[in-house]
Amino acid sequence: TKGWKIGEPDKVFAMAGEFKVPATGVLDYQRFLVDPGFKADVWVQAAECRPGNRQVVHHILVYILAPGQSDPYDRDGTAATLVGWAPGDMPAMYSPDTARLIPAGSKLLFEVHYTPNGTEQTDRSSVGVKFAKRPPANSVEMNILANTILRIPPGAKNHKGQMTFTFPEEALVLSFMPHMHLRGISARYVMTY
């Protein structure tokens, strides 16, 4: 847990202050807006989330909110994501000719899922980034296909949910990361050409 998997970041952005996690209960996802102060477009070569308190942080997602945008999710369930963290998850690291664009004036939105552990805790999570030295040949699009309308009927076994995404142009898929909680059984990806 010491040091950064991406190497020393060019810049680290943290939540503005500590969040107090109660000893018990179930918390809604907490959101924290961070202004990185980007006056011009920037290209991110690598990004890594760091939970401030691993005892209570279940996962973190850091979204890119374009100027004027207040909600990270579009109507189709997609969201512009910079990087996420969950136990065992790896940071976003791209080849030298590939990077992620953050448009000028964008904000970073930390969405943190806390799990109380029996004692009151505090957390101040952060994200470290390394910038590309020049605009890349290939632009990374990182996306979440969140099924925000999935409702599992009480007592249902193996209830299925489904999401689809159509790529607007030819693309190379770098990775997938299914994420579910207690009720998740399996995930399957199908590519239709």
Side-chain angles (χ1 to χ4, degrees), residues 85-125:
W85 177 88
D89 194 13
M90 296 299 292
M93 296 186 287
Y94 308 115
S95 61
D97 62 344
T98 304
R100 178 78 166 102
L101 174 67
I102 300 179
S106 293
K107 306 276 192 297
L108 301 179
L109 180 66
F110 285 63
E111 183 179 77
V112 187
H113 176 196
Y114 292 108
T115 306
N117 69 356
T119 59
E120 188 176 278
Q121 303 277 325
T122 59
D123 171 67
R124 187 174 183 218
S125 294

Side-chain angles (χ1 to χ4, degrees), residues 78-89:
T78 62
T81 308
L82 176 62
V83 67
W85 177 88
D89 194 13

Side-chain angles (χ1 to χ4, degrees), residues 69-83:
Q69 186 180 7
S70 59
D71 188 333
Y73 288 95
D74 289 333
R75 291 172 53 120
D76 63 0
T78 62
T81 308
L82 176 62
V83 67

